[in-house]
Amino acid sequence: VFVLGAAPVLGLVPFMFQYMSTVADHYLYVSMIGPAIAVAAAAGWAADKARAARGATAKASSAVREGPWAVRGAFGLLIAAWGLLSADQCAVWRDDVALWRHTMAVSPDSFVAPNNLAANLGREGSRLEWAAVDAADRGRTAEADRLRARRRAMTERAAALLEQSIAIHGDYLPARQNAVANYARLGQWARAAEHTEGLLAANRRVPAYMHENFTTFHNAAGHLWVRAGRYDRAIGHFEEFLRRVPGDATTQKALAEARSRIAEARIE
């Protein structure tokens, strides 16, 4: 029963979640019926043997109910211990932060955990930004500045976590996307543009079922390189975007401006 319950996710046949991990706690929910049957059978067998040792005979079903207190007590303690361990494990699932910190502790090579912790910091940062806007509207400038400083610190921590995720698995698309957003919030335009290019490259390498339409990221990369003052690198992205979306007036204008800036630099 234990093996059959887990059979679909043993890796004998590939499945989608294997991109992240072949194992997961929840795969054993059904399978744990097997150990439960085994423990019940062992308790019946032990009680039956204890009765047989005293010269008594009883069926296994009644042996569990009427068997010696020592046997029932021993199995009761064992089950109680497992219950406590289960309760302790439930604390890991208390919230997102607890879950992903635990994942990083027990699986340092997880690329999902640091990305998801960074995403949580991003959500917290957004709430701080809204609170800062509200404080500024009410004329509490000092409070707004403090809230924005806290958000920046969170964004910097998120960026560090995302670098960790990408170092483990450079083709993990969510981490690349989140890195682009976080570095843009920090005003680190070149780093955001580099991660945008990394995202586009990773999208070409991931399995076909994971491919995304990242056409707009060529346009985004172009504008990020413009903000970083690298018009030479912006041009290629604008041209690629226009190849896919011909006639986009805004991008045509941005491409012309980038070419003009390069021409001016050459003249100087």
Side-chain angles (χ1 to χ4, degrees), residues 32-236:
M32 290 307 292
I33 296 173
I37 294 171
V39 170
W45 177 85
D48 193 47
K49 284 293 184 182
R51 282 187 172 278
R54 298 204 312 263
T57 58
K59 292 183 180 179
S61 59
S62 62
V64 176
R65 186 176 62 253
E66 302 171 2
W69 283 103
V71 173
R72 284 189 279 177
F75 277 93
L77 288 174
L78 181 61
I79 293 169
W82 284 338
L84 290 173
L85 289 172
S86 295
D88 182 66
Q89 183 69 8
C90 284
V92 170
W93 299 83
R94 182 176 65 255
D95 54 39
D96 285 355
V97 174
L99 173 61
W100 298 119
R101 283 179 177 169
H102 173 76
T103 302
M104 289 182 68
V106 300
S107 182
D109 60 346
S110 170
F111 54 88
V112 177
N115 172 72
N116 288 358
L117 280 173
N120 185 75
L121 286 169
R123 289 189 291 270
E124 291 295 323
S126 295
R127 284 192 280 270
L128 287 175
E129 180 60 28
W130 283 112
V133 170
D134 181 67
D137 289 343
R138 295 172 184 271
R140 299 198 292 267
T141 306
E143 180 183 349
D145 289 343
R146 285 195 299 272
L147 290 168
R148 289 196 169 106
R150 284 177 58 196
R151 187 194 184 186
R152 184 174 182 84
M154 282 187 174
T155 305
E156 289 171 346
R157 290 202 301 273
L161 285 166
L162 291 165
E163 292 289 0
Q164 182 177 341
S165 175
I166 292 166
I168 296 169
H169 190 354
D171 289 348
Y172 186 43
L173 301 183
R176 288 285 187 182
Q177 287 180 278
N178 285 335
V180 172
N182 278 273
Y183 280 112
R185 292 188 192 111
L186 292 169
Q188 297 184 25
W189 309 117
R191 197 76 186 106
E194 288 169 354
H195 277 297
T196 306
E197 291 181 344
L199 173 67
L200 292 166
N203 191 49
R204 293 191 291 270
R205 292 191 295 265
V206 297
Y209 68 84
M210 297 185 67
H211 283 172
E212 300 279 356
N213 182 359
F214 282 156
T215 297
T216 57
F217 277 91
H218 282 288
N219 194 36
H223 285 288
L224 287 167
W225 281 124
V226 165
R227 301 195 73 165
R230 292 295 307 274
Y231 304 103
D232 55 329
R233 296 188 68 166
I235 287 174

